[in-house]
Amino acid sequence: MKKTIEIAGYTALPLNLPSTGAFNTPATHYLYLRQHEPRIPDADTPRSLFLVNIPIDTTETHIRHLFGTQLSAGRVERVEFEAARTGKKHDAAQLALVQGTNVAKSKKRKRVTADELENRLDNISLPPTWDRQLQRSGSHAVVVFVDKASMEASMKAAKKAARKSTTITWGEGIADRIPSLGLHRYVYHQRACYPPRAELLRAVNEYMTVFAEVSEARKREAARRAAEPDEDGFIAVTSGPRLTSAAGEEEAKRLIEKQKKQTEGFGDFYRFQSREKRKERQIDLLKKFDEDKKRLEELKMRKGKIRPE
């Protein structure tokens, strides 16, 4: 009886890569797997497997077929590929393909925040130009099963297949569900680079509609925050347009000049204002008197010393 090949705690599962038009000789690819043990475990960790060195053409359909049909071990709930876990966006067509479902938009209206709307903006993109997403060579993935029993059964079946050197042909039986690679892939890419005008308009209109909703949501949130009392229980009362980025610099100057004109004529309304103005006039007169007096003294000093030519 052969022993299971293990490297650093990983079980090495040999996969037979079928021949292609460019390479007629089949090859053996080793898939390494173990129970998922992240630094920060979550609720899905006990029912997850960690896969390393997945083939570059791996999709969620491949993983589901491997564990559910070829190993006949357990049901897969979802697969988290390295590109998705590191924040890279998957192509829209790839997501629809590997998930095997069409995400329908809910028609039920609900209250959404501006942040949620901005997330919708990130998900709106132009029509995809590739029919499937390829994985980076040597990348990893996390396979989440429906329960812990399915995970344990899948791990046990993988060890048994590795020990008995069971021939597992990668992607056997699902070729009709996966877009083919090679020339077909690049012909599709060449055509998809020039999408129909209607699809472009749909994507642009959807983006601009959500963008307008984000702007309105931001305004509503700002108005709601302005109506909330501060730490001392006071509410700031404002009137008229706000002189912020919403109003241009010219509009701000115009409003300031208008306010100055409106306040003209009310300077002497109170008695203390009249007294202050009289004091200011007296001070100005005294300053002018002192200046004239100094100028007259200078003229007297220079009298008779300057001779006209």
Side-chain angles (χ1 to χ4, degrees):
M1 182 179 291
K2 296 182 180 180
K3 294 183 179 179
T4 303
I5 301 176
E6 292 189 1
I7 300 176
Y10 289 86
T11 298
L13 178 64
L15 300 174
N16 182 29
L17 299 182
S19 59
T20 61
F23 300 95
N24 295 324
T25 304
T28 301
H29 181 91
Y30 285 93
L31 177 66
Y32 303 94
L33 65 160
R34 65 169 172 82
Q35 186 174 354
H36 189 34
E37 297 176 353
R39 293 181 179 179
I40 304 177
D42 55 18
D44 297 332
T45 299
R47 56 189 179 101
S48 303
L49 287 181
F50 187 71
L51 276 57
V52 181
N53 195 35
I54 61 176
I56 61 172
D57 62 341
T58 303
T59 64
E60 187 167 331
T61 304
H62 283 89
I63 301 297
R64 289 179 180 273
H65 183 68
L66 173 64
F67 290 104
T69 303
Q70 294 179 300
L71 293 177
S72 300
R75 293 186 300 161
V76 176
E77 180 179 303
R78 69 178 186 276
V79 181
E80 299 176 358
F81 291 98
E82 179 181 358
R85 295 176 65 85
T86 54
K88 298 178 182 178
K89 288 186 177 181
H90 275 255
D91 195 274
Q94 166 68 5
L95 287 177
L97 170 67
V98 299
Q99 293 175 358
T101 57
N102 293 326
V103 180
K105 295 182 180 179
S106 175
K107 295 183 180 180
K108 185 179 179 180
R109 296 181 62 87
K110 61 178 182 178
R111 189 184 189 90
V112 293
T113 62
D115 294 335
E116 293 174 348
L117 290 173
E118 287 186 355
N119 293 334
R120 284 177 54 188
L121 282 179
D122 295 337
N123 295 328
I124 298 174
S125 60
L126 295 175
T129 58
W130 296 101
D131 56 357
R132 64 185 295 188
Q133 180 78 20
L134 297 182
Q135 308 297 331
R136 186 173 59 86
S137 178
S139 61
H140 63 265
V142 176
V143 183
V144 182
F145 293 84
V146 294
D147 51 26
K148 186 176 181 181
S150 295
M151 183 275 296
E152 293 176 346
S154 299
M155 190 68 202
K156 185 177 180 180
K159 290 182 178 180
K160 183 178 179 180
R163 184 171 61 251
K164 293 185 177 182
S165 297
T166 304
T167 301
I168 300 178
T169 302
W170 179 251
E172 185 179 23
I174 60 172
D176 57 335
R177 289 184 281 166
I178 304 296
S180 59
L181 300 178
L183 180 61
H184 172 81
R185 170 180 169 84
Y186 291 98
V187 170
Y188 175 88
H189 173 68
Q190 178 65 21
R191 294 175 179 173
C193 286
Y194 304 93
R197 180 173 180 270
E199 293 187 14
L200 291 175
L201 288 176
R202 179 197 56 78
V204 173
N205 291 336
E206 184 180 2
Y207 186 92
M208 296 306 300
T209 301
V210 178
F211 183 82
E213 293 178 1
V214 171
S215 301
E216 292 296 328
R218 290 295 184 196
K219 290 181 181 179
R220 290 194 299 267
E221 291 179 358
R224 186 169 59 253
R225 286 194 299 268
E228 294 177 355
D230 56 14
E231 297 178 355
D232 298 328
F234 294 97
I235 298 177
V237 180
T238 58
S239 61
R242 296 178 58 190
L243 302 181
T244 58
S245 58
E249 186 177 352
E250 296 296 330
E251 181 69 8
K253 291 181 179 179
R254 187 184 67 81
L255 292 175
I256 292 174
E257 293 296 330
K258 183 178 179 180
Q259 178 123 11
K260 286 183 178 179
K261 290 181 179 179
Q262 289 179 350
T263 56
E264 289 179 0
F266 296 94
D268 300 334
F269 186 79
Y270 295 102
R271 184 175 298 176
F272 74 92
Q273 293 176 329
S274 300
R275 289 199 301 267
E276 292 293 332
K277 284 202 168 185
R278 284 199 299 271
K279 288 182 180 179
E280 291 175 0
R281 286 196 294 269
Q282 291 176 0
I283 293 173
D284 291 336
L285 290 174
L286 289 174
K287 287 182 179 179
K288 290 181 180 180
F289 177 77
D290 292 337
E291 292 174 358
D292 294 338
K293 188 177 181 180
K294 290 180 180 179
R295 194 177 298 110
L296 184 59
E297 293 293 333
E298 292 176 357
L299 290 174
K300 289 181 178 181
M301 293 292 294
R302 291 184 298 179
K303 189 176 181 180
K305 293 184 180 180
I306 300 176
R307 296 180 179 177
E309 296 181 357

